[in-house]
């Protein structure tokens, strides 16, 4: 264990390039610190490690391990009075020193998988169909015994998150009219995992938007947002996907907003300008694109359609940590709390369920501890349905309920599937 004094030595007496004022407000917000209160596993401790590395201290296995355990949930940013963006600073250092961080083989496989399969929904569909077959025949567990492949198979790896079925990519109408007087014309972002694994949620979101007075455009040529590539350190692929999406949506206008029903994708689409630091023309296009992005929960809350719950209540709502901490927080909660028959309340958790864009595969121990804590609290809450706004959270929370034999007691649904227009 690294003591607080040791971790912060060299930190005092000189201004921090990371602007940390050492107030400690971030400690109670950080999921990994709440799980195990070690200073180097807190945002303040990690910033101290970054400062030490910036001062020339060589990387050590311990220091990179503490930095690598950051979930990137940005809970610390929402609580920091100095406005320090610790998660983004840590991610930047990891990109610059990729070879020094553990899990290089995992990252190579992850990046190759994102480049190969997330750029084309037909390929992603075939991959998931194959993995589901391998899981049913137990071959995926055999694969997990090969050194380096444990994260991609086994009972707590990728195999555990696989759905029972996937949806073949299918063409959608280019435009679907509003079901009542048109309020907005919106372009809808379908995504990759959201479209192949949770297509019924996308369909439900489109119908709710139409019932709320939105004409919905579904641009052809759109691809994965690139968030999983970016999380894995492949910013080149992420920038390429961003270019394709900006081009696809620029040709689909005019529209008032670009709406996305996957919270993590919403956040990443809004951060497209950061992918083009050295390309002013492309950065300007990305800024115009990002300014139009709205999360599905934001638009539905604003339009307040006459909706009612489809699934049993009481309902607990689990907001994506990325969306909650970086953009449009609270829309889903406000929407559900305003429904008289929903009996809604926020799901009790430590700030992040542990999914975090593949974190659960790289750090299964930490991720499962966070997941178990949330599931235990949820079981005691009396909730019959758990609603979330993000596919990664939905799949991981579903896994958490299954491993505790609670999936028959509590159902996990996307927000769009939980609601329907009243009287339909």
């Amino acid at each position: 264990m690294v003591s607080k004094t040791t971790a912060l030595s060299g930190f005092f007496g000189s201004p921090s390039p990371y602007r940390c004022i050492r107030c400690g407000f971030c400690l109670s917000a950080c999921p990994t610190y709440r799980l195990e209160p070690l200073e180097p596993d807190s945002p303040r401790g990690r910033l101290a490690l970054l400062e030490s590395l910036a001062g020339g201290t060589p990387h050590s296995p311990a220091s990179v391990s503490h930095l690598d355990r950051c979930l990137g949930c940005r809970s610390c940013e929402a609580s920091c009075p100095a406005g320090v963006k610790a998660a983004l600073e840590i991610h930047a250092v990891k990109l610059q020193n990729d070879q020094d961080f553990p899990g290089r083989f995992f990252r190579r496989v992850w990046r190759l998988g994102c480049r190969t399969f997330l750029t084309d929904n037909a390929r992603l569909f075939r991959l998931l169909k194959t993995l589901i077959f391998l899981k049913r025949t137990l071959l995926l567990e055999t694969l997990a015994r090969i050194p380096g492949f444990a994260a991609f198979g086994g009972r707590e790896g990728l195999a555990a998150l696989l759905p029972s079925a996937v949806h073949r990519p299918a063409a959608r109408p280019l435009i679907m009219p509003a079901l009542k007087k048109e309020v907005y014309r919106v372009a809808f972002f379908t995504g990759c995992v959201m479209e192949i694994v949770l297509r019924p949620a996308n369909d439900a979101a489109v119908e709710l938007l139409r019932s709320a007075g939105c004409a919905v455009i579904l641009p052809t040529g759109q691809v994965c947002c690139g968030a999983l590539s970016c999380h894995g350190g492949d910013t080149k692929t992420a920038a390429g996907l961003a270019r394709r999406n900006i081009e696809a949506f620029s040709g689909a206008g005019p529209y008032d907003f670009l709406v996305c029903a996957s919270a993590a994708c919403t956040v990443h689409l809004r951060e497209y300008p950061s992918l083009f630091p050295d390309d002013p023309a492309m950065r300007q296009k990305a800024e115009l694109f990002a300014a139009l992005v709205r999360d599905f929960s934001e638009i539905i809350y604003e339009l307040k359609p006459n909706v009612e719950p489809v699934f049993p209540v009481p309902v607990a709502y689990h907001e994506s940590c990325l969306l909650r901490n970086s953009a449009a927080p609270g829309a889903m909660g406000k929407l559900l709390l305003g429904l008289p028959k929903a009996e809604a309340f926020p799901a009790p958790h430590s700030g992040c369920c542990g999914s975090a864009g593949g974190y659960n595969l790289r750090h299964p121990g930490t991720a499962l501890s966070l997941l178990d804590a949330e599931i235990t609290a949820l079981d005691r809450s009396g909730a019959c349905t758990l609603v979330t706004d993000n596919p990664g959270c939905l799949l991981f929370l579903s896994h958490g309920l299954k491993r505790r034999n609670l999936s028959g007691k509590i159902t996990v649904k996307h927000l769009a599937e939980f609601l329907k227009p009243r009287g339909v």
Side-chain angles (χ1 to χ4, degrees):
M1 177 188 299
V2 181
S3 70
K4 176 178 177 179
T5 304
T6 303
L8 293 178
S9 62
F11 199 75
F12 300 104
S14 61
S16 168
Y18 296 106
R19 297 180 287 110
C20 176
I21 58 175
R22 300 128 193 171
C23 64
F25 287 177
C26 59
L27 300 184
S28 62
C30 176
T32 55
Y33 185 83
R34 291 176 67 176
L35 201 61
E36 191 171 10
L38 299 175
E39 180 71 19
D41 276 339
S42 73
R44 185 176 64 183
R46 290 181 177 121
L47 286 168
L49 291 172
L50 292 186
E51 179 140 335
S52 178
L53 296 176
T57 302
H59 300 160
S60 71
S63 63
V64 296
S65 176
H66 291 304
L67 294 172
D68 196 39
R69 278 204 288 271
C70 172
L71 288 145
C73 67
R74 305 188 189 177
S75 296
C76 52
E77 296 176 14
S79 63
C80 180
V84 180
K85 298 186 181 301
L88 294 180
E89 300 284 7
I90 293 166
H91 185 64
V93 168
K94 288 172 70 174
L95 287 179
Q96 293 167 5
N97 302 277
D98 186 67
Q99 72 283 358
D100 296 324
F101 280 80
R104 291 175 63 188
F105 178 76
F106 173 87
R107 289 197 296 280
R108 285 179 185 172
V109 175
W110 180 267
R111 292 169 187 171
L112 178 63
C114 289
R115 279 198 300 272
T116 307
F117 298 106
L118 297 187
T119 53
D120 185 319
N121 278 358
R123 285 186 209 152
L124 177 61
F125 170 76
R126 289 194 291 271
L127 170 69
L128 292 177
K129 285 279 286 184
T130 303
L131 290 176
I132 291 170
F133 170 77
L134 293 176
K135 179 184 176 181
R136 287 174 181 162
T137 55
L138 301 180
L139 290 175
L140 209 54
E141 288 204 26
T142 303
L143 176 68
R145 298 194 188 106
I146 301 173
F149 280 89
F152 300 100
R155 295 181 180 175
E156 303 295 356
L158 179 62
L161 304 179
L162 287 173
S164 56
V166 288
H167 303 274
R168 187 182 297 277
R172 294 175 178 274
L174 293 179
I175 183 165
M176 302 175 78
L179 298 177
K180 63 179 187 180
K181 184 179 179 182
E182 184 175 311
V183 181
Y184 290 133
R185 177 166 289 237
V186 302
F188 190 78
F189 183 81
T190 53
C192 54
V193 173
M194 191 74 188
E195 182 71 351
I196 300 300
V197 179
L198 301 173
R199 185 182 172 105
N202 265 348
D203 291 339
V206 169
E207 288 308 304
L208 280 173
L209 288 167
R210 296 177 69 202
S211 71
C214 294
V216 181
I217 303 169
L218 293 134
T220 57
Q222 59 174 302
V223 290
C224 164
C225 70
L228 290 176
S229 294
C230 196
H231 293 165
D234 188 356
T235 53
K236 183 178 178 181
T237 297
L241 291 168
R243 287 178 189 274
R244 290 171 62 181
N245 279 324
I246 291 170
E247 182 179 348
F249 280 84
S250 66
Y255 52 84
D256 299 296
F257 300 113
L258 189 163
V259 178
C260 178
S262 167
C265 301
T266 300
V267 174
H268 189 67
L269 293 170
R270 284 178 169 169
E271 295 183 346
Y272 271 5
S274 67
L275 294 171
F276 305 102
D278 303 318
D279 187 341
M282 198 63 218
R283 185 180 177 88
Q284 185 178 28
K285 290 181 181 178
E287 287 172 348
L288 295 172
F289 175 92
L292 296 176
V293 176
R294 297 288 185 277
D295 189 69
F296 165 74
S297 60
E298 287 181 81
I299 291 290
I300 291 298
Y301 174 66
E302 178 191 333
L303 296 176
K304 293 184 172 50
N306 190 13
V307 294
E308 61 185 355
V310 180
F311 290 91
V313 297
V315 57
Y317 59 89
H318 173 103
E319 291 181 293
S320 154
C321 51
L322 271 181
L323 188 67
R324 184 179 68 246
N325 296 317
S326 59
M332 181 168 68
K334 292 175 186 174
L335 174 66
L336 293 175
L337 289 170
L339 294 179
K341 294 183 179 178
E343 302 177 41
F345 59 89
H349 59 81
S350 301
C352 178
C353 65
S355 175
Y359 184 95
N360 51 318
L361 303 181
R362 277 277 294 115
H363 300 283
T366 302
L368 289 173
S369 295
L370 291 168
L371 180 65
D372 282 342
E374 175 153 354
I375 297 300
T376 299
L378 188 67
D379 184 30
R380 295 171 180 163
S381 72
C384 294
T385 305
L386 176 64
V387 167
T388 185
D389 52 7
N390 189 54
C393 303
L394 191 152
L395 295 173
F396 200 47
L397 290 165
S398 297
H399 171 54
L401 289 169
K402 284 179 189 172
R403 68 195 299 270
R404 298 284 295 275
N405 295 319
L406 291 171
S407 51
K409 180 180 179 182
I410 303 173
T411 304
V412 187
K413 288 293 171 185
H414 188 279
L415 173 65
E417 294 179 291
F418 179 70
L419 302 173
K420 70 170 185 176
R422 193 179 297 274
V424 174

